[in-house]
Amino acid sequence: MSDSPPRTSAALEVSRSRRAVRAAVALVLLVALLAVLLWYTTHPPELATSEETRQAATPVGVPVYVAMAPAPTDRSLGVDGVKLRVTANTDVDVRPLLCRDGSPGVTSDPAAYCSELVDPEGQRLEPGDSLLVEVAADEPAIVVVDRIRVGYQDGIRAATQPAGVDHAVVNVLGR
């Protein structure tokens, strides 16, 4: 009789370590794939921005509509919401709107430029559309609307990104 261990146990030990290595490699590959997929879904192409400043003036009680950002020309986006940062020297009403099939620049009559004017949340932003802000005040004011931020979905991708002009300055004039 010999004191050497049986051959089968050595074969089993090698087989177990190979399985462990294979499992570790598969786990690393799965984690890497998930990381790439997560990065892809949270990093769609940036929305267009410009350093332009839009100027507008309107009398007290008359809303003015200022185009802040055009829709991308190469894709359709599902809008989750539009974030505004507004500074004013008095109480003002400012709200984002989606202009279908147009971009008025600055106007007090958006119907002349837009086939439809709707709340952007939950809508599709299609090529040819634009995002506006409506500004109104009941007393004279100076209103500054900073660059808007758009929360959106682009297929499986989603992001909230800055878009459009740098800012708009609206002077609400007394009558």
Side-chain angles (χ1 to χ4, degrees), residues 19-125:
R19 276 187 268 174
V21 169
R22 285 182 189 151
V25 168
L27 182 61
V28 167
L29 289 175
L30 179 63
V31 168
L33 179 65
L34 289 175
V36 168
L37 183 61
L38 179 64
W39 179 88
Y40 177 81
T41 60
T42 58
H43 290 80
E46 292 184 4
L47 299 174
T49 60
S50 77
E51 295 306 312
E52 182 181 355
T53 297
R54 292 266 161 88
Q55 300 280 339
T58 188
V60 167
V62 177
V64 67
Y65 301 84
V66 181
M68 296 296 287
T73 58
D74 59 345
R75 56 193 170 141
S76 172
L77 307 176
V79 179
D80 295 328
V82 176
K83 294 181 181 182
L84 302 177
R85 193 169 121 204
V86 178
T87 306
N89 61 342
T90 187
D91 288 336
V92 295
D93 294 319
V94 181
R95 69 181 179 135
L97 294 167
L98 173 71
C99 171
R100 296 257 186 239
D101 303 316
S103 183
V106 174
T107 186
S108 59
D109 181 20
Y113 301 93
C114 307
S115 64
E116 184 181 18
L117 204 57
V118 296
D119 181 349
E121 190 171 334
Q123 299 292 321
R124 299 253 1 127
L125 184 61

Side-chain angles (χ1 to χ4, degrees), residues 84-94 135 137 141-147 167-172:
L84 302 177
R85 193 169 121 204
V86 178
T87 306
N89 61 342
T90 187
D91 288 336
V92 295
D93 294 319
V94 181
V135 179
I142 296 177
V143 183
V144 177
V145 181
D146 290 336
R147 186 183 319 272
H167 62 280
V169 178
V170 178
N171 192 356
V172 180

